[in-house]
Amino acid sequence: MSFPGVLRLFPGGKWKYFQVAVCPSLYQPFLSCCQRKSIAPVKKTDFVSVSSDESLKDTEKRLEGLYSSEEKSAILQVLNTASLPELAAFTFLRGKKSVNIVKHREKYGPFQDLESLMEVPLFQYKIIVKVCDSILQPVSKTEKKEKRISENWSLGKVIRPRVERKKLKAANSIVSIVFGKEKIAWTHLDSKLTVLDWQQGNNFKLMKETSSPSAYLETISSIVSEIPEADFYILEKRTFSLQQTSLFPVALHFHIVEAMLYSLLNKTFARDGHHRVLSMNRNVVGKHFDLMLGNVRTSGMAVVQQFLSDSTLKADPRVSFPSESVVRYRSMMETDGRERKEELWDSLLQAVAFFELLVFRPHS
């Protein structure tokens, strides 16, 4: 038996090898251990193949019990007869998956059962379930568009706090409120986009006063007492740059008014915990009506004037105004150029955008 040795460097750059004496009884266990490992390695594939077979059988059983015989027939009918473009129209069969389905059909013939989908490349249990579900309940182009728009709007934080869509759909009417430094306006709009009330309050010049808490409370409470009852109250949400310190008093004013409106209009929140006051992103409304120039929102007066005109000229206008109120609303729209009433028409645009974006499908 040979034993390990060591090399030692001597002056002059010479190396010498020294054999180390090791007790064979001590060294033998080490060798025998190494030999045993090399002679009988553990085969992981043995365990993998067993578990894979068992997993496959379990998967087949799960697929077998998910669908009725009628549903299976409907799914197999599509998989066996649909063309490549028709298969690719399903969300979970795009790309190579639909190609693999067609190739498998051409090579092995029609699918006899759902379990045979496991033999197609890129198809696993979860994917097969999604494919079968999409075939049984296909999503229309309109629904896909609505879902995509809805997701985009939610990413853009259209409205806060979040409310379940079914609660928004159940709303019979809302009050849209927009306020500035000196004015506040609101629109009461029902789910048929009929204007029930449309007003502007002029006694709203808190920025010019001492801005004491009592002044805010008196003014906001007086305005809230005039606002009609509705299922939801929608407040315009503005954003201010923290880098512009000159805007700090304005931003503070907006936050105070918003907080007071939340508190005074959410009369039932303490009892049921349901939000009835929501904040809507100002720029989202601007984009909905094509009023944005870059990051700047332009006036919506022309859009509102068109609403009023269409209400009297068209049989099915986008927004309806009671005939007895049209003259009064037209006079409200009049301006001499020095006093703009942006809050007035912005409140109406926000109300319309709320229904069109969040309650029913977007206006085309």
Side-chain angles (χ1 to χ4, degrees):
M1 178 182 294
S2 60
F3 297 100
V6 295
L7 288 172
R8 184 176 178 183
L9 180 64
F10 284 84
K14 294 182 179 181
W15 291 87
K16 286 190 178 182
Y17 180 83
F18 292 88
Q19 194 172 32
V20 178
V22 179
C23 176
S25 62
L26 295 175
Y27 189 61
Q28 184 62 33
F30 175 77
L31 282 177
S32 60
C33 178
C34 293
Q35 289 171 350
R36 283 197 301 271
K37 287 184 178 179
S38 62
I39 292 171
V42 178
K43 293 183 179 180
K44 294 182 179 179
T45 54
D46 295 341
F47 297 98
V48 172
S49 62
V50 173
S51 61
S52 297
D53 291 340
E54 293 177 353
S55 176
L56 184 59
K57 292 178 181 179
D58 292 341
T59 299
E60 291 175 352
K61 291 179 181 178
R62 282 187 289 172
L63 281 172
E64 181 68 25
L66 281 178
Y67 305 99
S68 66
S69 57
E70 292 81 6
E71 290 174 332
K72 292 177 186 176
S73 299
I75 295 169
L76 291 173
Q77 176 71 16
V78 172
L79 294 175
N80 289 328
T81 61
S83 64
L84 183 59
E86 290 172 339
L87 289 172
F90 293 98
T91 303
F92 298 103
L93 283 177
R94 293 173 181 169
K96 291 186 177 180
K97 291 187 180 68
S98 56
V99 175
N100 291 344
I101 288 285
V102 174
K103 287 183 177 179
H104 192 276
R105 282 188 336 211
E106 294 173 350
K107 188 174 182 179
Y108 300 103
F111 294 97
Q112 300 300 319
D113 48 45
L114 300 182
E115 290 73 21
S116 56
L117 283 170
M118 296 289 294
E119 302 169 4
V120 182
L122 301 180
F123 280 81
Q124 297 175 349
Y125 174 76
K126 291 183 179 179
I127 291 296
I128 294 174
V129 173
K130 290 180 179 179
V131 168
C132 294
D133 290 345
S134 65
I135 291 174
L136 292 174
Q137 296 179 343
V139 181
S140 67
K141 292 183 178 180
T142 302
E143 290 173 330
K144 288 180 180 178
K145 182 180 179 181
E146 284 186 354
K147 183 178 179 181
R148 183 174 66 253
I149 293 175
S150 176
E151 290 172 350
N152 290 339
W153 287 131
S154 63
L155 291 175
K157 299 178 181 178
V158 180
I159 202 160
R160 290 293 181 91
R162 295 181 180 180
V163 177
E164 293 180 7
R165 188 175 178 84
K166 62 181 181 180
K167 291 183 179 179
L168 297 179
K169 282 182 170 291
N172 293 316
S173 71
I174 65 165
V175 172
S176 169
I177 304 171
V178 174
F179 53 89
K181 293 188 294 183
E182 299 181 359
K183 298 183 181 69
I184 186 169
W186 64 87
T187 301
H188 190 194
L189 192 71
D190 67 14
S191 56
K192 296 180 180 179
L193 297 191
T194 299
V195 177
L196 306 177
D197 189 21
W198 191 24
Q199 295 190 35
Q200 176 172 289
N202 294 316
N203 187 21
F204 193 71
K205 300 180 180 180
L206 292 167
M207 289 291 294
K208 294 184 177 181
E209 299 180 7
T210 58
S211 301
S212 64
S214 59
Y216 271 99
L217 180 60
E218 291 174 6
T219 302
I220 304 302
S221 296
S222 175
I223 292 170
V224 167
S225 66
E226 300 178 14
I227 294 177
E229 285 289 328
D231 295 301
F232 289 101
Y233 300 92
I234 315 302
L235 310 184
E236 183 183 65
K237 185 68 175 180
R238 298 193 181 206
T239 56
F240 296 90
S241 174
L242 296 178
Q243 297 178 349
Q244 293 180 285
T245 55
S246 60
L247 293 178
F248 179 77
V250 179
L252 180 61
H253 164 76
F254 273 82
H255 283 302
I256 292 174
V257 175
E258 183 182 30
M260 286 195 167
L261 288 172
Y262 259 90
S263 177
L264 295 172
L265 291 170
N266 252 327
K267 300 174 184 178
T268 62
F269 184 78
R271 296 197 302 270
D272 55 26
H274 294 158
H275 289 280
R276 296 182 65 199
V277 183
L278 310 172
S279 293
M280 192 166 186
N281 190 304
R282 171 180 169 82
N283 286 348
V284 168
V285 178
K287 290 176 182 177
H288 184 61
F289 292 105
D290 295 325
L291 298 177
M292 301 300 295
L293 289 178
N295 294 325
V296 180
R297 178 170 159 175
T298 59
S299 175
M301 181 177 65
V303 179
V304 175
Q305 287 176 334
Q306 189 65 48
F307 286 167
L308 275 167
S309 177
D310 292 345
S311 180
T312 57
L313 298 176
K314 291 185 176 181
D316 187 21
R318 185 171 178 180
V319 180
S320 299
F321 298 83
S323 56
E324 65 274 12
S325 303
V326 171
V327 175
R328 178 166 62 89
Y329 289 152
R330 285 184 185 277
S331 64
M332 286 171 52
M333 290 288 297
E334 294 177 359
T335 174
D336 58 6
R338 291 176 297 179
E339 183 184 5
R340 304 289 289 180
K341 300 178 180 179
E342 297 295 336
E343 291 84 3
L344 184 64
W345 36 79
D346 283 355
S347 68
L348 176 57
L349 294 179
Q350 180 174 260
V352 175
F354 173 87
F355 277 108
E356 292 182 344
L357 291 175
L358 300 173
V359 178
F360 44 82
R361 69 180 185 181
H363 187 84
S364 57

